[in-house]
Amino acid sequence: MVLVSEPVAWRLYGPKTLAALRRSGLRVERHLMPRGEKAKTWQAVSGLMRDMLRLGLGRDCTLAALGGGSVTDAAGFAAAIYMRGIPWFSLPTTLMGQVDAGIGGKTALDLPEGKNLAGAFHQPTAVVCDTDFLGSLSPRERISGLAEAIKCGLAFEPALLDFIQNNWNALRVGAPGPTERVVSRAAACKMRIVAKDERETTGERELLNFGHTVGHALEATAGFGPLRHGEAVVLGMRAALWLSRRHAGLPEPQAARADGFLGTIPIPRLDLPVSAVLSALQRDKKARKGKPRFVLLRGLGRPMVTAEVPERSVRVAVGSLLEEIR
Ligand SMILES: NC(=O)c1ccc[n+]([C@@H]2O[C@H](COP(=O)([O-])OP(=O)(O)OC[C@H]3O[C@@H](n4cnc5c(N)ncnc54)[C@H](O)[C@@H]3O)[C@@H](O)[C@H]2O)c1
Ligand SMILES: [Zn+2]
């Protein structure tokens, strides 16, 4: 087996994890990828696979990825292609990883032209979400992960949204009990959707993109870095709520309540031009003929996909959001 990690996750949890695996009698090698998005490059993945060859690991070996979404995406991708595919285990160490990135079998690399433009579907044999890993996260990383759990609540499970809202202060500081509840409910929510549409062919899985159309455009415009992914998704969800109220029949009190909550989540100040965000929307991976596709809500927990949102509405929704964070 090869245990793959990155320097920060390794320093915190690597030696213990390695010792636990070795205690069970396995021969375990280790490999460290660069930290953060730098893991999601051809160079880093090729470095991992060449190291595996050097260590004499063959088709019968298993990979275990210990780290945030960048490690599980990149190492999962290496597992998908190494000797045409070997089994892998996902051991996500961030909240983002435990509620979203580490589960569902999407693995990916970034290309200079954009994020996640190469990848494969390769389901992990098992995902181990140990919430003890989460105590060391910074408040910002925690909030970024909570954003994906809020997304599940808004789009599929209003009771989860209520739970997050009622326990927000405890969740922000990483209280173990509520954190464990959110991880297990949000992870189960994602798995339920993925099980219905593993390879994103029937449309069900696309609904997990609630908040991501505008979110991705903001990340791309800000130039990946100033905004954590979850922070961009918070803003994207606010835009999607605004559009849902006008174009999908989301009742005003539900929209106002959800937006009121999202509006309290701290987001860094940014100065982005509306026109740049609108052109990023047209270039989105999922846009068809320059028309972005949106997941909107007919009600809380009732998502739908549409490509028929008038551009002037998008301009107003994005414009007022950018005004707020300027
Ligand atoms: N495959 C999917 O379905 C999917 C879904 C969502 C996001 N993603 C991808 O996930 C990536 C983002 O994941 P992420 O937010 O976990 O980022 P990340 O892996 O870069 O981790 C964020 C930071 O936290 C540090 N870290 C990791 N574990 C820690 C711990 N326990 N305590 C303290 N610090 C820790 C890391 O060193 C890093 O600096 C993006 O590349 C995104 O595209 C994939
Ligand atoms: Zn996301």
Side-chain angles (χ1 to χ4, degrees), residues 6 8-9 12-13 35-37 40 68-71 73 93-94 96-97 100-101 103 106 115-116 133 136-137 141 148 190 205 228-229:
E6 49 85 20
V8 174
L12 292 162
Y13 308 108
R35 176 178 177 193
E37 260 340 271
K40 293 175 61 172
S70 53
V71 173
D73 269 16
T93 60
T94 59
M96 172 65 74
D100 195 354
I103 52 185
K106 275 191 184 178
K115 261 174 71 92
N116 301 329
F133 289 148
S136 47
L137 289 179
E141 294 298 345
E148 300 283 4
K190 177 162 182 186
R205 192 164 180 164
R228 294 296 303 144
H229 175 67

Side-chain angles (χ1 to χ4, degrees), residues 29-155:
E29 307 289 352
R30 65 149 216 180
H31 176 91
L32 293 192
M33 304 198 85
R35 176 178 177 193
E37 260 340 271
K38 288 205 179 73
K40 293 175 61 172
T41 61
W42 287 113
Q43 199 192 3
V45 168
S46 150
L48 163 59
M49 293 191 296
R50 295 183 67 194
D51 206 23
M52 290 168 69
L53 286 172
R54 188 183 60 76
L55 293 163
L57 299 169
R59 294 200 60 177
D60 56 345
C61 102
T62 299
L63 182 152
L66 175 77
S70 53
V71 173
T72 51
D73 269 16
F77 181 64
I81 61 173
Y82 186 67
M83 303 209 169
R84 299 201 182 82
I86 57 169
W88 74 292
F89 292 91
S90 170
L91 314 176
T93 60
T94 59
L95 193 49
M96 172 65 74
Q98 297 195 359
V99 301
D100 195 354
I103 52 185
K106 275 191 184 178
T107 71
L109 295 187
D110 302 333
L111 296 180
E113 286 76 9
K115 261 174 71 92
N116 301 329
L117 291 178
F121 288 100
H122 188 45
Q123 290 295 342
T125 306
V127 181
V128 181
C129 295
D130 184 340
T131 49
D132 283 353
F133 289 148
L134 308 178
S136 47
L137 289 179
S138 69
R140 233 183 131 187
E141 294 298 345
R142 201 168 278 131
I143 285 178
S144 183
L146 284 169
E148 300 283 4
I150 293 171
K151 172 196 79 181
C152 282
L154 277 167

Side-chain angles (χ1 to χ4, degrees), residues 163-195:
F163 182 82
I164 295 174
Q165 218 173 330
N166 294 336
N167 292 278
W168 183 246
N169 288 332
L171 289 166
R172 275 178 62 155
V173 295
T179 302
E180 214 174 292
R181 281 275 296 274
V182 166
V183 167
S184 72
R185 289 173 74 170
C189 175
K190 177 162 182 186
M191 283 311 298
R192 210 168 42 243
I193 308 297
V194 171

Side-chain angles (χ1 to χ4, degrees), residues 210-276:
F210 176 66
H212 282 60
T213 310
V214 168
H216 283 149
L218 291 169
E219 273 186 294
T221 312
F224 299 105
L227 276 182
R228 294 296 303 144
H229 175 67
E231 292 168 341
V233 171
V234 167
L235 296 171
M237 290 191 287
R238 295 189 68 190
L241 284 171
W242 194 94
L243 294 171
S244 298
R245 191 146 67 80
R246 275 149 195 86
H247 302 289
L250 176 68
E252 161 69 20
Q254 294 185 5
R257 198 193 122 215
D259 189 63
F261 172 47
L262 293 175
T264 64
I265 297 177
I267 304 288
R269 300 255 140 220
L270 277 177
D271 193 359
L272 302 176
V274 183
S275 55

